[in-house]
Amino acid sequence: MIRFEQVSVTYGDDTAAPALDGVDLTVPEGELCLLVGPSGVGKSTLLGTVSGLVPHFTGGTLRGRVTVAGRDTRTHRPRELADVVGTVGQDPLAHFVTDTVEDELAYGMESLGVAPAVMRRRVEETLDLLGLAGLRDRPLATLSGGQQQRVAIGSVLTTHPKVLVLDEPTSALDPGAAEEVLAVLQRLVHDLGTTVLMAEHRLERVVQYADQVILLPGPGEAPVTGTPAGMMAISPVRPPVVSLGRLAGWSPLPLSVRDARRRAASLKERLPETEAALPKPRRESGKAGSEPAEVTHLSVRHGRTAALRDITLTAAPGEIIAVMGRNGAGKSTLLRSLVGMHRPNGGSVRVGGVTPHRTAPAELLRHVGLVPQEPRDLLYADTVGAECAAADEDAGAEPGTCRALVSELLPGVPDATHPRDLSEGQRLALALAVVLAARPPLLLLDEPTRGLDYAAKERLVEILRGLAAEGHAIVMATHDVELAAELAHRVVVIAEGEVVADGPTAEVVVASPAFAPQVAKILAPLPWLTVPQVRAALEEAR
Amino acid sequence: MTTDTPTRAPGGRLPRPARGAGLSHSAAPPRERDQRRPRATRAETLHAGAWWLWALGLATAASRTTNPLLLGLLVSVAGYVVAARRTDAPWARSYGAFLKLGLAVIGIRLVFAFALGSPIPGTHTLVTLPEVPLPDWAQGVRIGGRVHAEGLVFALYDGLKLAALLVCVGAANALANPARLLKSLPGALYEAGVAVVVAMTFAPNLVSDVQRLRAARRLRGRADRGPKALLQVGLPVLEGALERSVALAAAMDARGYGRTARVPRAVRHTTSVLTLGGLVGVCAGTYGLLADAGAGYGTPVLVAGLAAALAGLWLGGRRSARTRYRPDRWGVRAWLVSASGAAVAALMVWANGYAPAALHPPAVPLTAPELPLWPAASILLGLLPAFVAPAPGPRSPEEEEQ
């Protein structure tokens, strides 16, 4: 269905290193093909060549040949491929042209000139297929993240494309919404025979559905293709279930929790029955009234809807708290209330003894720092060096404080780099350094692992552990159950603005199937949550 | 979460649901009697063009009078219809902005009349401002000086007229989905229209970007208010907008925007000739109509030019392969709504013939404006859409729940 023949892509002049090189592979019809690899190896470029957006839209030079359903992308512009390729990106809002669900579903067909009667029928079919019938008249801006992503997929499905290209379709979604989207993809592959080519960082969610895995090992290196199990054995990026399989020496490697659980009996026997390696918070209970964060009976309303209702939460120094819950549950509102962006409608918020929304920003900086969902929002300067100098000045810190932090978090980035040229993980580290320049006792992170590959995530985990050990209290809002399991001492689950669960990580995440990490699901009822814990336990038992 | 609303039996009363969702409906008088009118779902939505015709009718009426009582009545009529029939969609929230704009227009007009004086002669001096001496070449311009009540009243009437026009346009904006209006454009203009609508949706995005980035400044320990803060986020906001537009353009291209059908060469050439020739004809015809000499040939040339241009547009539409998904239907309700607007306009124009004085109360000498009975009654015809247009759907599921 998709054929790559000796494809290489170079951006800029000919002397630049190719973003993609030596791609020579075939994606057969009706397969779900997963594209994996660390950040910055050209996954998005490879996907772009299928829809023709590379090079027609992005510029750059494409050598070799890409054919989709027999059409050469060099001679066909993206709009001429629109009836065979459907493309969905990470941010559905950037994809929408119209304003209501039904119009959005019809838009592609209108462009292709499909007859009105056919359009009507296909819209109804797609509404049912994706479970959107109840939302048909809703404005797109009012939908939740998972619903928007389903509409985005539906909007390209109505033209009945033979190929569906998806770039990180579940990265921004909570576990439940991600399941929704993946179930739809499964159905398309099984029922309609659509060929799906998908890149995704969160392998734990998708790898078990793939028929074929294309691994891009490094920038400019030729891709390797194979079965999911075979590829996971050599891949530098892998989900926890695969890591556990490698640790236990299982072959072939399990890809799903179910596979792994069947083989886990022997591993369970080898594991000691003590609760050895679970993380313990370093509780240095401060004096009452000066804890890094104290939220009591907080209520916040946005217009007529209650965003938070009666939330009570305390963070002690050195404690890491993960706030979880579906998209739009009020996680970000809670974090923003802690930095005074929302005035409480009831209850109180105190960070380090001050009330955030009544404190001047320059003073508040010394008590609390927030790294927002889009770290780029925090960065204004043209170079990393200038950004650091500005951060020192804002924080009233010694000149060079921020730069030292950057070197520690992000080794090998020269001062002259433009923040825009950094990768997602590097930008997050820079924003973190900027916030940390003021040494706030309370650090807040909103969705820190969005767009990070496993290596960047591991670095982040190390950094945050170090900070907690130094006595920073950390509160992070996240959908990433693996991150929460690995890092957090406590998990708070929020639903519709109310706390529905609050307790030690092990208790909370294991109690709920949606929030349980893979290792906990495999080894239940044993208390281990992550691969490093299991590794440590095995070494101890030996 | 339930999104379905209680179904209303035709002619029957809504059974009061146990969870009290009916309260919000029965509280608003126009909705209480909605049972015979369909909900504004996709199939029943009023044609966007009908709303615009209605609003333009009211605007025409507003432009024909300076009587503050009549203008106030017009604004209230438009406001009532908007309150009764607007949906919860994003574009429907623009009405408040238009109201504020109208008030700003009145304010500015009054300030100018106060500070710069007014050409209207007046006898009731309110205050005397110190007059700024101006050089000879600025004769005729005055800054400061005596402020007459007559001048202010005249400015108020004038400003009120302009504000009423704005409110009428705002009403159309709030009631009709701009994207739907596009669907009624001829095929050849569709792509230009999409560009305009996309540009319009960028304004709200820009506002939310500015808010987000100003909030982020707070996180850096910088002031989030004041003009300096606004200036410093300017560049990132523009960058963001640019990136978004590039992403949207890519998405639109990948979804087939701009695909053209193959048309024979002859047709393409005929299209160009007709369109260009038509435009030249329109220009020449207009000139002929306006110039004294060409009154004879003006009208026929204009008509011929228009016809040629329209034929060109129609032929050009063949190049675009687009089809339309469920275009709005122009039904009885659309006729009624647009007719009510047209009636208001026509009756007001007619009223200018039989009661010019009542429609234009003089500022000199100062007199209290009266409410002329028949013109006022004719304005009330504009309320018709509040009763015949489809009722808006449920607001949002959350509010339904409450």
Side-chain angles (χ1 to χ4, degrees):
Chain A
M1 182 51 59
I2 313 171
R3 277 184 69 84
F4 295 88
E5 290 167 57
Q6 294 302 329
V7 174
S8 75
V9 178
T10 317
Y11 295 117
D13 52 16
D14 286 346
T15 53
L20 201 65
D21 202 11
V23 183
D24 201 40
L25 53 91
T26 308
V27 180
E29 187 166 356
E31 288 214 338
L32 199 161
C33 188
L34 184 64
L35 187 60
V36 301
S39 319
V41 292
K43 292 196 293 294
S44 297
T45 303
L46 183 68
L47 295 182
T49 59
V50 177
S51 56
L53 290 174
V54 176
H56 291 292
F57 211 86
T58 57
T61 319
L62 177 102
R63 289 197 185 76
R65 206 151 82 107
V66 183
T67 47
V68 185
R71 291 189 208 174
D72 190 333
T73 60
R74 284 178 310 180
T75 53
H76 290 77
R77 298 185 51 79
R79 66 185 71 148
E80 286 146 13
L81 291 165
D83 51 336
V84 286
V85 183
T87 311
V88 179
Q90 188 182 346
D91 180 11
L93 279 178
H95 169 100
F96 293 148
V97 184
T98 63
D99 43 21
T100 62
V101 173
E102 217 177 323
D103 283 328
E104 189 63 30
L105 292 182
Y107 178 79
M109 291 188 290
E110 287 183 326
S111 305
L112 299 183
V114 175
V118 179
M119 282 202 276
R120 187 70 204 273
R121 198 187 67 231
R122 284 196 195 165
V123 166
E124 299 299 327
E125 285 165 4
T126 310
L127 284 171
D128 284 341
L129 180 68
L130 304 192
L132 294 168
L135 309 171
R136 60 188 308 157
D137 286 325
R138 290 271 293 277
L140 293 166
T142 62
L143 302 181
S144 75
Q147 290 167 339
Q148 283 176 348
Q149 192 63 279
R150 278 187 291 155
V151 173
I153 292 177
S155 72
V156 299
L157 278 185
T158 46
T159 58
H160 286 192
K162 297 198 170 71
V163 176
L164 200 55
V165 175
L166 303 142
D167 196 355
E168 307 220 10
T170 74
S171 281
L173 302 183
D174 61 67
E179 295 280 312
E180 270 173 31
V181 170
L182 290 169
V184 163
L185 292 180
Q186 273 278 82
R187 230 174 131 185
L188 293 178
V189 173
H190 283 238
D191 297 354
L192 302 181
T194 313
T195 310
V196 177
L197 180 61
M198 163 166 62
E200 180 61 69
H201 275 310
R202 303 238 170 131
L203 290 179
E204 66 268 21
R205 289 176 172 176
V206 295
V207 76
Q208 70 261 36
Y209 301 121
D211 298 309
Q212 196 189 151
V213 169
I214 302 172
L215 170 68
L216 284 168
E221 287 178 41
V224 194
T225 317
T227 60
M231 286 297 105
M232 282 300 111
I234 58 166
S235 165
V237 289
R238 51 183 179 267
V241 60
V242 172
S243 300
L244 188 73
R246 279 201 194 179
L247 180 68
W250 294 329
S251 176
L253 284 171
L255 296 176
S256 67
V257 169
R258 191 156 171 253
D259 286 351
R261 205 185 287 133
R262 287 198 196 131
R263 296 199 215 144
S266 65
L267 179 66
K268 280 185 187 168
E269 277 165 24
R270 279 158 63 201
L271 283 167
E273 281 189 21
T274 51
E275 289 187 29
L278 293 184
K280 288 275 184 298
R282 221 183 52 151
R283 275 212 173 251
E284 292 169 6
S285 195
K287 287 159 276 148
S290 64
E291 294 275 19
E294 272 187 293
V295 177
T296 36
H297 303 294
L298 171 69
S299 299
V300 174
R301 300 182 74 80
H302 294 321
R304 295 174 60 181
T305 47
L308 292 177
R309 264 179 231 162
D310 197 20
I311 301 256
T312 299
L313 184 74
T314 310
E319 191 177 26
I320 305 180
I321 300 179
V323 181
M324 307 189 76
R326 62 176 87 85
N327 294 74
K331 302 187 296 293
S332 297
T333 307
L334 176 61
L335 295 195
R336 286 200 294 260
S337 303
L338 281 167
V339 289
M341 286 189 200
H342 298 303
R343 180 182 298 273
N345 293 80
S348 75
V349 183
R350 294 183 79 72
V351 289
V354 302
T355 310
H357 72 271
R358 293 213 194 95
T359 311
E363 162 68 16
L364 191 64
L365 200 60
R366 271 169 258 288
H367 296 284
V368 57
L370 168 68
V371 180
Q373 212 168 66
E374 187 55 76
R376 195 191 289 165
D377 290 355
L378 275 190
L379 310 174
Y380 304 106
D382 289 340
T383 63
V384 171
E387 201 65 73
C388 288
D392 289 337
E393 198 182 309
D394 290 338
E398 292 268 302
T401 313
C402 176
R403 179 64 233 191
L405 282 163
V406 170
S407 312
E408 193 185 317
L409 305 180
L410 200 67
V413 170
D415 264 351
T417 318
H418 196 289
R420 208 159 265 275
D421 292 336
L422 298 174
S423 76
E424 202 83 34
Q426 290 172 323
R427 216 179 293 137
L428 176 72
L430 178 59
L432 193 57
V434 163
V435 166
L436 285 175
R439 298 253 137 222
L442 174 65
L443 181 62
L444 310 172
L445 298 144
D446 198 350
E447 238 12 276
T449 56
R450 181 175 164 177
L452 297 195
D453 60 14
Y454 289 95
K457 227 161 97 174
E458 242 160 62
R459 284 191 54 77
L460 179 74
V461 166
E462 269 169 42
I463 292 167
L464 293 182
R465 277 222 185 101
L467 289 172
E470 284 170 32
H472 290 272
I474 299 175
V475 179
M476 54 184 185
T478 183
H479 291 316
D480 190 336
V481 292
E482 305 295 339
L483 178 79
E486 195 146 351
L487 201 54
H489 301 124
R490 235 169 89 203
V491 170
V492 176
V493 180
I494 295 187
E496 309 222 304
E498 290 174 43
V499 172
V500 293
D502 179 0
T505 307
E507 285 173 24
V508 175
V509 298
V510 172
S512 132
F515 293 124
Q518 290 193 313
V519 172
K521 285 181 186 163
I522 296 166
L523 295 180
L526 298 182
W528 283 277
L529 302 179
T530 62
V531 177
Q533 286 173 11
V534 174
R535 185 179 296 126
L538 283 177
E539 273 164 14
E540 217 170 86
R542 201 171 292 148
Chain B
M1 185 166 31
T2 53
T3 48
D4 36 328
T5 48
T7 41
R8 287 162 185 231
R13 288 239 146 209
L14 175 72
R16 192 163 293 270
R19 59 192 165 116
L23 281 177
S24 61
H25 295 290
S26 50
R31 288 191 203 154
E32 173 80 343
R33 284 174 275 114
D34 274 350
Q35 288 137 22
R36 265 164 294 121
R37 272 170 294 285
R39 290 249 154 223
T41 55
R42 170 100 198 184
E44 299 291 347
T45 308
L46 197 71
H47 198 287
W51 281 125
W52 272 99
L53 283 180
W54 167 79
L56 289 178
L58 292 195
T60 311
S63 71
R64 293 295 155 144
T65 176
T66 51
N67 186 328
L69 298 175
L70 288 177
L71 288 173
L73 191 63
L74 264 169
V75 169
S76 340
V77 164
Y80 181 80
V81 173
V82 168
R85 284 299 177 264
R86 80 166 155 183
T87 58
D88 200 30
W91 60 85
R93 295 176 198 150
S94 61
Y95 188 66
F98 276 93
L99 271 183
K100 282 181 201 154
L101 190 65
L103 286 178
V105 163
I106 297 178
I108 291 171
R109 188 74 182 78
L110 283 178
V111 167
F112 268 78
F114 192 77
L116 299 182
S118 164
I120 304 292
T123 48
H124 297 72
T125 305
L126 295 176
V127 280
T128 308
L129 297 176
E131 188 165 345
V132 180
L134 289 177
D136 282 347
W137 49 263
Q139 259 182 356
V141 179
R142 190 167 63 107
I143 297 178
R146 289 192 304 144
V147 180
H148 304 298
E150 287 88 345
L152 285 185
V153 166
F154 180 77
L156 177 71
Y157 288 179
D158 214 34
L160 207 56
K161 184 160 109 179
L162 204 54
L165 283 174
L166 277 172
V167 167
C168 291
V169 173
N173 237 317
L175 290 164
N177 181 347
R180 280 298 164 71
L181 195 61
L182 247 178
K183 295 212 163 200
S184 321
L185 281 182
L189 292 181
Y190 180 85
E191 287 180 6
V194 168
V196 171
V197 167
V198 165
M200 270 160 49
T201 59
F202 264 66
N205 281 333
L206 274 185
V207 171
S208 69
D209 271 4
V210 169
Q211 283 169 347
R212 208 185 67 232
L213 284 161
R214 277 171 72 175
R217 278 179 60 82
R218 200 180 151 82
L219 301 175
R220 289 288 296 261
R222 304 180 190 178
D224 56 348
R225 282 166 224 286
K228 200 179 154 206
L230 204 61
L231 278 181
Q232 278 194 346
V233 300
L235 197 61
V237 165
L238 283 183
E239 273 177 12
L242 205 63
E243 260 172 35
R244 207 176 8 234
S245 45
V246 170
L248 182 65
M252 284 169 69
D253 201 6
R255 291 171 68 190
Y257 175 77
R259 270 166 83 109
T260 46
R262 288 186 195 288
V263 280
R265 240 178 110 105
V267 174
R268 259 183 308 166
H269 287 306
T270 322
T271 310
S272 322
V273 169
L274 279 176
T275 314
L276 277 179
L279 287 180
V280 170
V282 169
C283 290
T286 319
Y287 177 81
L289 275 185
L290 295 180
D292 291 338
Y297 70 84
T299 319
V301 170
L302 183 66
V303 169
L306 268 178
L310 286 177
L313 269 183
W314 176 76
L315 262 185
R318 285 178 53 177
R319 234 174 99 70
S320 119
R322 295 190 56 83
T323 44
R324 282 173 200 170
Y325 175 73
R326 294 183 80 180
D328 287 336
R329 267 171 292 191
W330 189 280
V332 179
R333 291 171 195 279
W335 278 118
L336 283 173
V337 168
S338 44
S340 81
V344 173
L347 288 173
M348 197 58 105
V349 171
W350 185 45
N352 262 303
Y354 66 80
L359 261 55
H360 300 275
V364 189
L366 276 181
T367 39
E370 296 167 4
L371 186 68
L373 192 64
W374 286 108
S378 65
I379 286 177
L380 288 180
L381 277 180
L383 280 177
L384 191 66
F387 303 98
V388 300
R395 298 221 132 198
S396 62
E398 299 89 59
E399 285 177 46
E400 282 289 301
E401 293 280 319
Q402 280 171 5

